[in-house]
Amino acid sequence: MLRALFEAGVTPDLVVGTSIGAINGAAVAHKPSMDVIEQLETAWKSKTASTIYGEPFTKQLTRLARSRTHLNSHVPLKKLIESVLDDVRTFEDLEIPLAVCAASIERTAETWFDSGPLMNAVIASASVPAALPPTLIDGEHYVDGGVVNSIPLGEAIKRGANTVYVLQVGRIDEPLSVPTNPADVGKVTFEISRRHRFVREMSEVPEGVTVHVLPYGGPQPGDTKLGAYKDLELAQVRMNAGYEASATYLCEAGVGQ
């Protein structure tokens, strides 16, 4: 999606992101040009990326038994973020403004970070509950921002955006059906939870604001498996599909022409 946008001449004045969007968004805010594409492609196809959730199950269970809260360490995630941020340490060091969302446990609140130390804010935004430990910042514990604001369209508009490009991971395009087993119950319930706010915010887009929801390129083999989230072997295939679909969309929408 990013490659298609840059090729169409679209460069951001502001980036807002949640979870993986906070990670990729930080990289783009650091290098808001085509230079960031190869860096992100390398990062998400790396061994470091595959170990974020891909440790042996026995090791994950041992960590869960010790922590009682999470399966994975945040260390590989931190290494991946460092690989795309170079020596950047604060929001103020970025080329363009960035805001990332995390969920405060103590305040049960949506929280936006846009100044000060960058690394922990991005990790907090991507701290998937049970998969990763909560992130401690200034005495508060934070978990993945997707719990409170998965696709932060409204926040972008609130911060002054009048043209918004939504880079989403694809699930909002997939229809839901009545669950038939326990795994489906959890999946469908989570999807309703994460999608309903975006649907509402799309219906409330103010006059004068244009929103482009970029297509992700369609499902890939194995997407329906419960553990598909940790399978990065198809990373390049997904990138190519997202690029082709988004390039076609932008061309048909007349963006950059």
Side-chain angles (χ1 to χ4, degrees):
M1 293 176 182
L2 284 170
R3 183 185 292 277
L5 285 169
F6 286 131
E7 287 183 356
V10 177
T11 54
D13 301 307
L14 164 72
V15 177
V16 297
T18 297
S19 197
I20 191 174
I23 301 170
N24 291 337
V28 173
H30 171 40
K31 294 181 179 178
S33 68
M34 190 67 81
D35 293 340
V36 76
I37 303 299
E38 183 176 353
Q39 194 170 20
L40 281 172
E41 287 185 344
T42 299
W44 285 115
K45 292 186 292 182
S46 68
K47 184 177 180 180
T48 299
S50 66
T51 57
I52 294 175
Y53 298 124
E55 288 184 321
F57 193 52
T58 53
K59 190 172 183 178
Q60 292 178 321
L61 288 179
T62 299
R63 182 177 290 109
L64 178 61
R66 290 173 178 172
S67 69
R68 300 190 178 187
T69 59
H70 57 276
L71 291 166
N72 305 284
S73 166
H74 69 266
V75 172
L77 178 61
K78 183 177 181 181
K79 289 181 179 179
L80 183 141
I81 297 170
E82 288 175 340
S83 74
V84 298
L85 287 183
D86 302 318
D87 294 326
V88 172
R89 294 292 178 266
T90 70
F91 282 86
E92 289 77 11
D93 293 332
L94 297 168
E95 288 295 317
I96 60 172
L98 168 73
V100 300
C101 178
S104 166
I105 293 176
E106 285 84 358
R107 291 182 291 111
T108 63
E110 174 181 330
T111 303
W112 285 90
F113 294 94
D114 57 12
S115 62
L118 179 61
M119 177 61 73
N120 276 357
V122 174
I123 292 176
S125 183
S127 292
V128 178
L132 294 168
T135 300
L136 179 64
I137 300 177
D138 295 333
E140 284 188 52
H141 296 83
Y142 294 89
V143 295
D144 195 294
V147 172
V148 288
N149 197 341
S150 183
I151 306 175
L153 170 62
E155 186 67 21
I157 295 172
K158 177 181 176 182
R159 290 173 179 263
N162 50 36
T163 302
V164 182
Y165 295 90
V166 178
L167 286 68
Q168 49 90 25
V169 296
R171 289 199 296 261
I172 59 174
D173 295 333
E174 298 172 4
L176 297 179
S177 57
V178 176
T180 58
N181 59 61
D184 282 350
V185 171
K187 178 181 178 181
V188 169
T189 302
F190 175 70
E191 285 303 316
I192 293 172
S193 174
R194 72 182 296 274
R195 296 185 198 188
H196 84 281
R197 180 168 180 171
F198 178 66
V199 172
R200 185 183 73 237
E201 290 185 348
M202 281 291 288
S203 70
E204 296 173 348
V205 172
E207 185 176 351
V209 174
T210 301
V211 179
H212 296 279
V213 181
L214 299 185
Y216 77 115
Q220 300 299 327
D223 279 358
T224 58
K225 294 180 180 179
L226 194 59
Y229 69 93
K230 60 183 180 181
D231 182 7
L232 296 181
E233 291 185 4
L234 291 174
Q236 189 63 59
V237 174
R238 297 180 193 281
M239 293 174 195
N240 294 343
Y243 165 71
E244 292 170 4
S246 294
T248 298
Y249 168 86
L250 293 170
C251 180
E252 292 176 350
V255 175
Q257 298 178 9

